[in-house]
Amino acid sequence: MATTELVYPLAFPKSVVHKCEICGKTASRMCSKCRVTYYCSEEHQTADNIGIHDKICSTLTSLRLKQPFLPSEEERRERDREIRDRKIHLVEVTRMIGERHVFQDRFEAAVPAALASLKLAIEVYGPRSVELIPSYLILSEASLGLKQLNQCWEYLSQAQYTILQQQQHEQAPLAITSQLSRNMAQLSIARKEYDEAARHLANDIYDASLFYGTEHHKVAGGYFLLGKVFKLMNRPEVTESLYTQVTQMWYNFLRRLLQTRVVFSDMDAILGKKDDDNGDELTNSSKLDLSTEAEAFNTLQILLNYRLETQQTNPMTQELNKIHHCLTILYFLARDYIQVHDSMNKIKDCTIQDIEDDQQRILKFLEQLGQMKALMKRQQQQN
């Protein structure tokens, strides 16, 4: 946890005014570790630490400190290019963490992460770029989660206005218009405007399908929310169909991920090679990204609860098995091997060969993993 050091505004030159990282008011304290991040109160510093600052504190130092003079123009250009690249990377990381907070219902923590990404995006792209919209959308989702509907609408309005400005020159990216439609739908759901929500979700699914492909897991979120809308409208037969489709889309995605990415990362760790999963979320790129993992867990848990609630009136064992198998893969990706076995044991009367094959693959890998660990332990004891 970063510590505090008090600052006194009158001690700085007239042209220097430090602002609170959260609210923009005149700062009275700063992070004593990085010494480049300022706050108006202990409350706002604590909120920032919980949301994002502890994860990016050391990185901010090199980005915000005044850079030394370089005599060569080529050196200055190279340094500016490196700083820009680091800022772009940090924009992606802060957004990913903010999205994960939202999917985990940690809305207060999502706000500082989204604000950090927004400020960095403005520095890189300018104040009117469409690249700012993902940050506005995270802020809108966090505001919605905090029941601040007017604040949510303000962020969405800013995102809409930015897109309208962009469309004067060229078409806005479909991935962004899709996400904006999804957020507008979430606000409509909160306002109980279900027909309006369904219209926004139709636009979301259409744009996302054009951009990612009709079966991509990024499209699943639109179908999932549409299923929720029809459930609220008391249309269980439509909800049933949509939730089945969502399960299948995550099932296909996670199975592909299991077969292509996981084993190599774990084996490298056991063999002593450099492992990206070192607790540093800024460099962890070898596995499922943070926001997608959080979305998958959240969606699948809701689908599981829905299936368990309707099990007596509409038994669907195979659907339950697919959900449990998806959760098994997610736990495996997270290397939570105890949960892997627990989740695997919940799969009953399975007649789906794909699940059986994946289970055998996972069990075989865990067995090899245990043997390698035991062998390395014996060798270390002998040495």
Side-chain angles (χ1 to χ4, degrees), residues 201-234:
L201 288 170
N203 292 332
D204 163 30
I205 293 168
Y206 179 77
D207 288 348
S209 297
L210 286 178
F211 187 81
Y212 297 108
T214 55
E215 299 301 317
H216 198 278
H217 72 279
K218 289 284 189 181
V219 187
Y223 285 116
F224 176 70
L225 280 177
L226 194 57
K228 179 180 178 179
V229 169
F230 280 107
K231 183 181 178 184
L232 292 168
M233 295 172 69
N234 198 26

Side-chain angles (χ1 to χ4, degrees), residues 3-15:
T3 55
T4 302
E5 182 172 326
L6 295 179
V7 298
Y8 302 95
L10 293 177
F12 295 103
K14 285 186 177 181
S15 59

